[in-house]
Amino acid sequence: MTRPVYLGASGLVCARGASPTAVAAALAAGESGSDWRQHGNRRFPWFALPLAEQDWLTRAEKAICLVAESLGPLPPTTPLFVASSSFQIGLCETRPPPYELPIANASFSRQLASWMQLDGPRYSFSNACISGFSAIDAARSLIAAGQIDGAVVLGCELANASTLAGFAALELLSPTACRPFDRDREGLVLGEAVAAIHLTAKSTPWRLAALRTGIDAWSITGPDPEGGPIAELLGECLQEAGLAADDIDLVKLQAAGSPGTDLAEANALRQVFATSPPPLLSFKSAFGHTLGASGVAELTALLACLDSNCIPATAGFATADPQLGLQPTTRNSSQPVRHALLNLIGFGGGLASMIVTRER
Amino acid sequence: MIYLDAIVSQQFAPADLPAAIRAALGKPLRRAPVLAQLAVLGALACLPAERRSRPTALLWQSTSGPRLETLELLDEVCQGSGEPMPFTFLATVPASAAVQLRPFVPGLRSASTLPLDTEQEANWRLLLTIAANWLAEGRYEQVLCAHLDHWADCLSGHWLALSASPSASTLATLRTSAGAPVTQATDTPDFPVALGRWLSAPAGPSLQLHSPAAPGLTVEFART
């Protein structure tokens, strides 16, 4: 059996709001403010969840409950696919040493399921920045084959010092701001997000038309600057969807403001779209790079924007980079979108591309 | 029909891993985290040289994950200077194993890491079902499914290699629906050991992995 898989209800809590519609409205309004997070004697911009709770666990529960509320009622046995790169490490940091980690490294997924009031099967994915699309890929494979009828895919990335310190040690963070595809881009800005989407065999306005994951083995910390592996994966994704490059109406970029990765992505896009790319959009300057949650968070944000008939401007972009030869959206647009392509380039060599198609 | 081509179970004392790597590669695997080294050892044991360039996916689960590496990172970040050594952080990113493996398995096209949330339990059902789906749709020619653990006193890797077409090395067939009669297996990290025992036993009923909580993810092995 092979059947289409659709994207249903969603939930999203990120720096721009506590629901998909609130986030879409904030993006349309051009909101992109961030906080700061101190790390040793350095400080970095940081996109925090808009929650008043201070305690790590209480805050996590609040975010999950907000997302569950947006999703609406679901059968409690609905399979849950969790995507995260940090799980409960932020909680461990709040406790005194010696540090204790659970024996099973994704045991936090049991807590997440409990907060979501789901007691069906749980599966966890930790593929760095492409975790969310890896989880969606697995869920849609089972739905398409008739092995399950629906699933919730949850992306969860919450505040912790370890990830920030790791990226800081690798000198991958911007000290000022996220500037996607900008000549003066300096690096990533990290953020928190919790997002979920319901995948279902039942028809909805958005169909998951294609999803492919890949590997760029150039380096653990960055892709081949020529963009070859990324372009190859985008081509495979188009092929699976049965679409040509000029059928794509919008690309949601990875574009985190990283000097090398933005260049690789731009080179790949020029190989795929030649001289006439569709509008290019990045969310990372509006709510940060949310790592393991970014796939689900950016998908839910994109669908909310498109459902509100607004392709937002990409915050943080000011000056085109002639080396890239491409630039993201600079003003809001209501251009109709039937097919949107979403691209992820992961820390650790993972690649993922998805195409969503508006059915009605 | 999906075909089981290899069952591999490996265990090492931590001190023996460098020698095992040198025996397999003829050189050390510098800067590679332990889980990545286990991935390389297991994948090479599963795939003969002539199959390493075929389109391949890797699905690997882990109970421990990079637990020891994460504890080291926490010590460096929260008790040390606050600035970890870059390789301490990189060792906590399990997905990076694919980059370490790719030079030895050039056909590796995709890799997914599935951390487990409960001790003594595994998700072989999920890995094998997804692998079977991907092979049936022609997305890859072969899929490696694995369970890798890095504990303080023991390193382990359990592997199953599946392919879309039969070969001289085919051990069993796999399907993603239930038949009868069957022998039930338990979905634990070392399921490949049980599968190997079942294969070496005299002919009998098929072997099934099944969970009442996820009835759609039933997988069943039959002897060839």
Side-chain angles (χ1 to χ4, degrees), chain B residues 115-138:
Chain B
L116 296 166
D117 66 23
T118 305
E119 290 174 65
Q120 306 299 329
E121 292 182 10
N123 271 328
W124 286 102
R125 286 187 309 274
L126 177 72
L127 270 55
L128 294 168
T129 302
I130 294 171
N133 291 348
W134 285 350
L135 291 169
E137 68 192 49

PDB file of all heavy atoms in Angstrom, chain B residues 115-138:
ATOM      1  N   PRO B 115      17.705   7.501  19.532  1.00  0.00           N
ATOM      2  CA  PRO B 115      17.968   7.212  20.938  1.00  0.00           C
ATOM      3  C   PRO B 115      16.747   6.562  21.578  1.00  0.00           C
ATOM      4  O   PRO B 115      15.605   6.882  21.206  1.00  0.00           O
ATOM      5  CB  PRO B 115      18.243   8.594  21.532  1.00  0.00           C
ATOM      6  CG  PRO B 115      17.546   9.545  20.629  1.00  0.00           C
ATOM      7  CD  PRO B 115      17.540   8.926  19.260  1.00  0.00           C
ATOM      8  N   LEU B 116      16.990   5.669  22.504  1.00  0.00           N
ATOM      9  CA  LEU B 116      15.887   4.927  23.145  1.00  0.00           C
ATOM     10  C   LEU B 116      15.537   5.560  24.482  1.00  0.00           C
ATOM     11  O   LEU B 116      16.384   6.171  25.141  1.00  0.00           O
ATOM     12  CB  LEU B 116      16.288   3.467  23.309  1.00  0.00           C
ATOM     13  CG  LEU B 116      16.500   2.748  21.971  1.00  0.00           C
ATOM     14  CD1 LEU B 116      17.217   1.423  22.168  1.00  0.00           C
ATOM     15  CD2 LEU B 116      15.171   2.535  21.257  1.00  0.00           C
ATOM     16  N   ASP B 117      14.276   5.385  24.885  1.00  0.00           N
ATOM     17  CA  ASP B 117      13.830   6.050  26.114  1.00  0.00           C
ATOM     18  C   ASP B 117      13.603   5.092  27.276  1.00  0.00           C
ATOM     19  O   ASP B 117      13.216   5.530  28.361  1.00  0.00           O
ATOM     20  CB  ASP B 117      12.588   6.905  25.845  1.00  0.00           C
ATOM     21  CG  ASP B 117      11.361   6.109  25.459  1.00  0.00           C
ATOM     22  OD1 ASP B 117      11.281   4.918  25.796  1.00  0.00           O
ATOM     23  OD2 ASP B 117      10.470   6.686  24.805  1.00  0.00           O
ATOM     24  N   THR B 118      13.842   3.806  27.076  1.00  0.00           N
ATOM     25  CA  THR B 118      13.593   2.837  28.135  1.00  0.00           C
ATOM     26  C   THR B 118      14.691   1.775  28.128  1.00  0.00           C
ATOM     27  O   THR B 118      15.006   1.229  27.065  1.00  0.00           O
ATOM     28  CB  THR B 118      12.220   2.158  27.932  1.00  0.00           C
ATOM     29  OG1 THR B 118      11.213   3.184  27.839  1.00  0.00           O
ATOM     30  CG2 THR B 118      11.884   1.237  29.087  1.00  0.00           C
ATOM     31  N   GLU B 119      15.240   1.503  29.304  1.00  0.00           N
ATOM     32  CA  GLU B 119      16.293   0.476  29.397  1.00  0.00           C
ATOM     33  C   GLU B 119      15.748  -0.893  29.016  1.00  0.00           C
ATOM     34  O   GLU B 119      14.579  -1.199  29.281  1.00  0.00           O
ATOM     35  CB  GLU B 119      16.802   0.393  30.840  1.00  0.00           C
ATOM     36  CG  GLU B 119      17.596   1.587  31.290  1.00  0.00           C
ATOM     37  CD  GLU B 119      17.912   1.462  32.772  1.00  0.00           C
ATOM     38  OE1 GLU B 119      18.640   0.544  33.144  1.00  0.00           O
ATOM     39  OE2 GLU B 119      17.396   2.304  33.535  1.00  0.00           O
ATOM     40  N   GLN B 120      16.600  -1.701  28.452  1.00  0.00           N
ATOM     41  CA  GLN B 120      16.298  -3.106  28.106  1.00  0.00           C
ATOM     42  C   GLN B 120      15.260  -3.234  27.000  1.00  0.00           C
ATOM     43  O   GLN B 120      14.806  -4.341  26.718  1.00  0.00           O
ATOM     44  CB  GLN B 120      15.812  -3.909  29.333  1.00  0.00           C
ATOM     45  CG  GLN B 120      16.739  -3.849  30.531  1.00  0.00           C
ATOM     46  CD  GLN B 120      18.121  -4.420  30.222  1.00  0.00           C
ATOM     47  OE1 GLN B 120      18.259  -5.323  29.417  1.00  0.00           O
ATOM     48  NE2 GLN B 120      19.151  -3.845  30.839  1.00  0.00           N
ATOM     49  N   GLU B 121      14.830  -2.132  26.432  1.00  0.00           N
ATOM     50  CA  GLU B 121      13.883  -2.202  25.314  1.00  0.00           C
ATOM     51  C   GLU B 121      14.544  -1.617  24.074  1.00  0.00           C
ATOM     52  O   GLU B 121      15.449  -0.798  24.180  1.00  0.00           O
ATOM     53  CB  GLU B 121      12.601  -1.423  25.625  1.00  0.00           C
ATOM     54  CG  GLU B 121      11.785  -2.063  26.735  1.00  0.00           C
ATOM     55  CD  GLU B 121      10.487  -1.299  26.987  1.00  0.00           C
ATOM     56  OE1 GLU B 121      10.147  -0.414  26.180  1.00  0.00           O
ATOM     57  OE2 GLU B 121       9.841  -1.595  28.003  1.00  0.00           O
ATOM     58  N   ALA B 122      14.073  -2.048  22.912  1.00  0.00           N
ATOM     59  CA  ALA B 122      14.616  -1.526  21.666  1.00  0.00           C
ATOM     60  C   ALA B 122      13.484  -1.299  20.674  1.00  0.00           C
ATOM     61  O   ALA B 122      12.318  -1.639  20.955  1.00  0.00           O
ATOM     62  CB  ALA B 122      15.641  -2.493  21.094  1.00  0.00           C
ATOM     63  N   ASN B 123      13.825  -0.709  19.561  1.00  0.00           N
ATOM     64  CA  ASN B 123      12.828  -0.432  18.519  1.00  0.00           C
ATOM     65  C   ASN B 123      13.211  -1.096  17.200  1.00  0.00           C
ATOM     66  O   ASN B 123      13.109  -0.484  16.143  1.00  0.00           O
ATOM     67  CB  ASN B 123      12.673   1.082  18.322  1.00  0.00           C
ATOM     68  CG  ASN B 123      11.617   1.668  19.235  1.00  0.00           C
ATOM     69  OD1 ASN B 123      10.639   0.999  19.554  1.00  0.00           O
ATOM     70  ND2 ASN B 123      11.817   2.907  19.655  1.00  0.00           N
ATOM     71  N   TRP B 124      13.661  -2.353  17.286  1.00  0.00           N
ATOM     72  CA  TRP B 124      13.972  -3.070  16.043  1.00  0.00           C
ATOM     73  C   TRP B 124      12.755  -3.115  15.119  1.00  0.00           C
ATOM     74  O   TRP B 124      12.890  -3.056  13.892  1.00  0.00           O
ATOM     75  CB  TRP B 124      14.439  -4.497  16.360  1.00  0.00           C
ATOM     76  CG  TRP B 124      15.822  -4.553  16.924  1.00  0.00           C
ATOM     77  CD1 TRP B 124      16.174  -4.726  18.236  1.00  0.00           C
ATOM     78  CD2 TRP B 124      17.058  -4.436  16.197  1.00  0.00           C
ATOM     79  NE1 TRP B 124      17.550  -4.713  18.361  1.00  0.00           N
ATOM     80  CE2 TRP B 124      18.112  -4.543  17.131  1.00  0.00           C
ATOM     81  CE3 TRP B 124      17.369  -4.253  14.858  1.00  0.00           C
ATOM     82  CZ2 TRP B 124      19.458  -4.474  16.764  1.00  0.00           C
ATOM     83  CZ3 TRP B 124      18.704  -4.185  14.479  1.00  0.00           C
ATOM     84  CH2 TRP B 124      19.733  -4.301  15.423  1.00  0.00           C
ATOM     85  N   ARG B 125      11.568  -3.215  15.695  1.00  0.00           N
ATOM     86  CA  ARG B 125      10.340  -3.258  14.868  1.00  0.00           C
ATOM     87  C   ARG B 125      10.281  -2.038  13.958  1.00  0.00           C
ATOM     88  O   ARG B 125       9.985  -2.130  12.774  1.00  0.00           O
ATOM     89  CB  ARG B 125       9.084  -3.261  15.750  1.00  0.00           C
ATOM     90  CG  ARG B 125       8.792  -4.538  16.455  1.00  0.00           C
ATOM     91  CD  ARG B 125       7.432  -4.439  17.153  1.00  0.00           C
ATOM     92  NE  ARG B 125       7.316  -3.241  17.978  1.00  0.00           N
ATOM     93  CZ  ARG B 125       7.718  -3.159  19.233  1.00  0.00           C
ATOM     94  NH1 ARG B 125       8.258  -4.198  19.820  1.00  0.00           N
ATOM     95  NH2 ARG B 125       7.566  -2.044  19.929  1.00  0.00           N
ATOM     96  N   LEU B 126      10.533  -0.869  14.568  1.00  0.00           N
ATOM     97  CA  LEU B 126      10.463   0.365  13.782  1.00  0.00           C
ATOM     98  C   LEU B 126      11.562   0.389  12.719  1.00  0.00           C
ATOM     99  O   LEU B 126      11.302   0.679  11.541  1.00  0.00           O
ATOM    100  CB  LEU B 126      10.592   1.584  14.694  1.00  0.00           C
ATOM    101  CG  LEU B 126      10.614   2.927  13.960  1.00  0.00           C
ATOM    102  CD1 LEU B 126       9.228   3.252  13.413  1.00  0.00           C
ATOM    103  CD2 LEU B 126      11.098   4.056  14.863  1.00  0.00           C
ATOM    104  N   LEU B 127      12.778   0.094  13.133  1.00  0.00           N
ATOM    105  CA  LEU B 127      13.902   0.142  12.181  1.00  0.00           C
ATOM    106  C   LEU B 127      13.655  -0.802  11.005  1.00  0.00           C
ATOM    107  O   LEU B 127      13.846  -0.439   9.838  1.00  0.00           O
ATOM    108  CB  LEU B 127      15.205  -0.250  12.895  1.00  0.00           C
ATOM    109  CG  LEU B 127      16.024   0.865  13.541  1.00  0.00           C
ATOM    110  CD1 LEU B 127      15.227   1.680  14.525  1.00  0.00           C
ATOM    111  CD2 LEU B 127      17.270   0.304  14.224  1.00  0.00           C
ATOM    112  N   LEU B 128      13.230  -2.021  11.324  1.00  0.00           N
ATOM    113  CA  LEU B 128      13.047  -3.021  10.260  1.00  0.00           C
ATOM    114  C   LEU B 128      11.857  -2.678   9.371  1.00  0.00           C
ATOM    115  O   LEU B 128      11.888  -2.913   8.155  1.00  0.00           O
ATOM    116  CB  LEU B 128      12.881  -4.407  10.888  1.00  0.00           C
ATOM    117  CG  LEU B 128      14.133  -4.931  11.612  1.00  0.00           C
ATOM    118  CD1 LEU B 128      13.798  -6.171  12.447  1.00  0.00           C
ATOM    119  CD2 LEU B 128      15.242  -5.250  10.608  1.00  0.00           C
ATOM    120  N   THR B 129      10.821  -2.109   9.958  1.00  0.00           N
ATOM    121  CA  THR B 129       9.649  -1.735   9.150  1.00  0.00           C
ATOM    122  C   THR B 129      10.005  -0.604   8.192  1.00  0.00           C
ATOM    123  O   THR B 129       9.659  -0.648   7.001  1.00  0.00           O
ATOM    124  CB  THR B 129       8.479  -1.311  10.064  1.00  0.00           C
ATOM    125  OG1 THR B 129       8.169  -2.387  10.954  1.00  0.00           O
ATOM    126  CG2 THR B 129       7.246  -0.970   9.247  1.00  0.00           C
ATOM    127  N   ILE B 130      10.690   0.411   8.707  1.00  0.00           N
ATOM    128  CA  ILE B 130      11.096   1.520   7.822  1.00  0.00           C
ATOM    129  C   ILE B 130      12.055   1.003   6.747  1.00  0.00           C
ATOM    130  O   ILE B 130      11.924   1.351   5.560  1.00  0.00           O
ATOM    131  CB  ILE B 130      11.756   2.652   8.637  1.00  0.00           C
ATOM    132  CG1 ILE B 130      10.739   3.303   9.570  1.00  0.00           C
ATOM    133  CG2 ILE B 130      12.354   3.707   7.705  1.00  0.00           C
ATOM    134  CD1 ILE B 130      11.353   4.271  10.558  1.00  0.00           C
ATOM    135  N   ALA B 131      13.002   0.167   7.156  1.00  0.00           N
ATOM    136  CA  ALA B 131      13.953  -0.377   6.184  1.00  0.00           C
ATOM    137  C   ALA B 131      13.213  -1.136   5.083  1.00  0.00           C
ATOM    138  O   ALA B 131      13.506  -0.972   3.889  1.00  0.00           O
ATOM    139  CB  ALA B 131      14.947  -1.297   6.892  1.00  0.00           C
ATOM    140  N   ALA B 132      12.266  -1.953   5.490  1.00  0.00           N
ATOM    141  CA  ALA B 132      11.511  -2.732   4.496  1.00  0.00           C
ATOM    142  C   ALA B 132      10.731  -1.814   3.564  1.00  0.00           C
ATOM    143  O   ALA B 132      10.658  -2.054   2.340  1.00  0.00           O
ATOM    144  CB  ALA B 132      10.580  -3.705   5.213  1.00  0.00           C
ATOM    145  N   ASN B 133      10.134  -0.755   4.130  1.00  0.00           N
ATOM    146  CA  ASN B 133       9.382   0.188   3.284  1.00  0.00           C
ATOM    147  C   ASN B 133      10.307   0.849   2.261  1.00  0.00           C
ATOM    148  O   ASN B 133       9.970   0.966   1.077  1.00  0.00           O
ATOM    149  CB  ASN B 133       8.723   1.269   4.149  1.00  0.00           C
ATOM    150  CG  ASN B 133       7.594   0.733   5.009  1.00  0.00           C
ATOM    151  OD1 ASN B 133       7.132  -0.389   4.826  1.00  0.00           O
ATOM    152  ND2 ASN B 133       7.145   1.527   5.968  1.00  0.00           N
ATOM    153  N   TRP B 134      11.459   1.314   2.723  1.00  0.00           N
ATOM    154  CA  TRP B 134      12.390   2.008   1.824  1.00  0.00           C
ATOM    155  C   TRP B 134      12.902   1.065   0.734  1.00  0.00           C
ATOM    156  O   TRP B 134      13.020   1.456  -0.429  1.00  0.00           O
ATOM    157  CB  TRP B 134      13.573   2.559   2.619  1.00  0.00           C
ATOM    158  CG  TRP B 134      13.252   3.775   3.436  1.00  0.00           C
ATOM    159  CD1 TRP B 134      12.101   4.527   3.389  1.00  0.00           C
ATOM    160  CD2 TRP B 134      14.091   4.400   4.425  1.00  0.00           C
ATOM    161  NE1 TRP B 134      12.182   5.570   4.291  1.00  0.00           N
ATOM    162  CE2 TRP B 134      13.381   5.523   4.927  1.00  0.00           C
ATOM    163  CE3 TRP B 134      15.345   4.125   4.920  1.00  0.00           C
ATOM    164  CZ2 TRP B 134      13.903   6.358   5.909  1.00  0.00           C
ATOM    165  CZ3 TRP B 134      15.882   4.959   5.895  1.00  0.00           C
ATOM    166  CH2 TRP B 134      15.165   6.059   6.389  1.00  0.00           C
ATOM    167  N   LEU B 135      13.197  -0.172   1.124  1.00  0.00           N
ATOM    168  CA  LEU B 135      13.694  -1.128   0.119  1.00  0.00           C
ATOM    169  C   LEU B 135      12.586  -1.463  -0.878  1.00  0.00           C
ATOM    170  O   LEU B 135      12.836  -1.563  -2.082  1.00  0.00           O
ATOM    171  CB  LEU B 135      14.200  -2.398   0.811  1.00  0.00           C
ATOM    172  CG  LEU B 135      15.476  -2.218   1.639  1.00  0.00           C
ATOM    173  CD1 LEU B 135      15.738  -3.452   2.504  1.00  0.00           C
ATOM    174  CD2 LEU B 135      16.679  -1.946   0.730  1.00  0.00           C
ATOM    175  N   ALA B 136      11.374  -1.605  -0.371  1.00  0.00           N
ATOM    176  CA  ALA B 136      10.258  -1.955  -1.271  1.00  0.00           C
ATOM    177  C   ALA B 136       9.989  -0.844  -2.287  1.00  0.00           C
ATOM    178  O   ALA B 136       9.605  -1.127  -3.430  1.00  0.00           O
ATOM    179  CB  ALA B 136       9.004  -2.242  -0.441  1.00  0.00           C
ATOM    180  N   GLU B 137      10.199   0.393  -1.881  1.00  0.00           N
ATOM    181  CA  GLU B 137       9.927   1.493  -2.820  1.00  0.00           C
ATOM    182  C   GLU B 137      11.156   1.831  -3.667  1.00  0.00           C
ATOM    183  O   GLU B 137      11.107   2.758  -4.494  1.00  0.00           O
ATOM    184  CB  GLU B 137       9.406   2.725  -2.086  1.00  0.00           C
ATOM    185  CG  GLU B 137      10.411   3.415  -1.194  1.00  0.00           C
ATOM    186  CD  GLU B 137       9.780   4.462  -0.263  1.00  0.00           C
ATOM    187  OE1 GLU B 137       8.773   4.140   0.393  1.00  0.00           O
ATOM    188  OE2 GLU B 137      10.305   5.584  -0.204  1.00  0.00           O
ATOM    189  N   GLY B 138      12.267   1.116  -3.465  1.00  0.00           N
ATOM    190  CA  GLY B 138      13.460   1.325  -4.292  1.00  0.00           C
ATOM    191  C   GLY B 138      14.295   2.521  -3.902  1.00  0.00           C
ATOM    192  O   GLY B 138      15.150   2.971  -4.662  1.00  0.00           O
TER     193      GLY B 138
END
